[in-house]
Amino acid sequence: MTVTTRPGGESVLARIVADVRRELALRMTTVPFSQVEARAAAAPPPRDALPALRGDGLRVIAEVKRRSPAKGPLAPIPDPGALAGRYVAGGAAAISVLTEPNWFAGSPADLTAVRTAVEVPVLRKDFVVDPYQVWEARALGADLVLLIVAALDAPTLRSLLGQVHSLGMTALVEAHDQAEVTRAVEAGARLVGVNARDLRTLRIDMAAFAALAAGIPPDVVRVAESGIRGPADAAAYRAAGADAVLVGEAVVTSPDPAAAVAALAAAAATEAR
Ligand SMILES: O=P(O)(O)OC[C@@H](O)[C@@H](O)c1c[nH]c2ccccc12
């Protein structure tokens, strides 16, 4: 399959993953795996994410994101832990932290800062392609790890998922179309996210979740990701079967992040079902 975004260009996802692999290769030579392993062993034990993400009402996963390839700079976020604290005050069930530096202006230190500031599960949102990064995530204190189906072949997805589970964490397995949902479920995902944004082209399709939700088995927790501007979008996703929504831009740009999170969760509770 070939997906082109610009005339003669490579997909955005492929370009990001190429950068991530380059930096990973460098880290692997400077920080030996044994050191990452030791840090993971010393990290606080993982928090159980699935019970936090499914229940009555819609759960909100609020994201710490400074910039994105689609939108450019969003918010400076000088204190990620304080922002995460506001999210939790508003009722966030989990926090997503972008740790990718070049395209999202994130850092691994952001994740550790958030993990120590809040008591809810924390997701490492990055482009994970190698077991080294899964161990790194645990060493940083992550409870959840994002795995993007479009960036991984089937055997790699399966083995990374096994790695995440064996370290006691939960994988958020991200899909964008029916074939990817099937691959996620077949690999053993217990938490599946449907990203409205196609990471190859950066285009948003808010109808993607509703089209794919029915194909996700009922025992799998379902997350609708990206493009959620406010309570009406959250309510629509809840009505379409979302257990949780993953929201970045709308909450990082809000003057009152706690109120923004609370409004997302509350609107869905009253308008859906
Ligand atoms: O800022 P938004 O549109 O609310 O989106 C949040 C989140 O879904 C988005 O950041 C995201 C979803 N999947 C990703 C994979 C990699 C990087 C980023 C993402």
Side-chain angles (χ1 to χ4, degrees), residues 107-154:
S107 87
D110 292 344
L111 191 136
T112 303
V114 167
R115 183 52 159 72
T116 45
V118 300
E119 289 185 0
V120 300
V122 178
L123 167 73
R124 181 183 189 189
K125 177 77 94 67
D126 210 313
F127 297 80
V128 169
V129 292
D130 189 280
Y132 184 97
Q133 294 163 290
V134 176
W135 284 87
E136 260 182 349
R138 189 77 278 282
L140 296 168
D143 308 294
L144 297 124
V145 177
L146 182 73
L147 298 177
I148 301 171
V149 174
L152 303 166
D153 60 36

Side-chain angles (χ1 to χ4, degrees), residues 192-245:
V192 169
V194 174
N195 193 355
R197 180 170 282 114
D198 185 334
L199 289 172
R200 294 161 294 202
T201 61
L202 301 185
R203 269 186 228 113
I204 284 267
D205 172 12
M206 292 298 279
F209 179 85
L212 300 178
I216 303 174
D219 58 323
V220 172
V221 179
R222 305 160 183 182
V223 184
E225 307 177 4
S226 301
I228 295 152
R229 290 153 299 184
D233 290 335
Y237 275 144
R238 178 64 176 166
D243 294 298
V245 285

Side-chain angles (χ1 to χ4, degrees), residues 49-57 59 190 217-222 243-244:
L50 287 183
L53 293 176
R54 169 177 264 177
D56 295 337
R59 304 297 162 99
R190 298 167 196 161
D219 58 323
V220 172
V221 179
R222 305 160 183 182
D243 294 298

Side-chain angles (χ1 to χ4, degrees), residues 62-79:
E63 187 156 278
V64 174
K65 172 160 79 166
R66 293 195 182 87
R67 62 166 286 129
S68 73
K71 298 288 183 83
L74 296 170
I77 316 181
D79 187 343

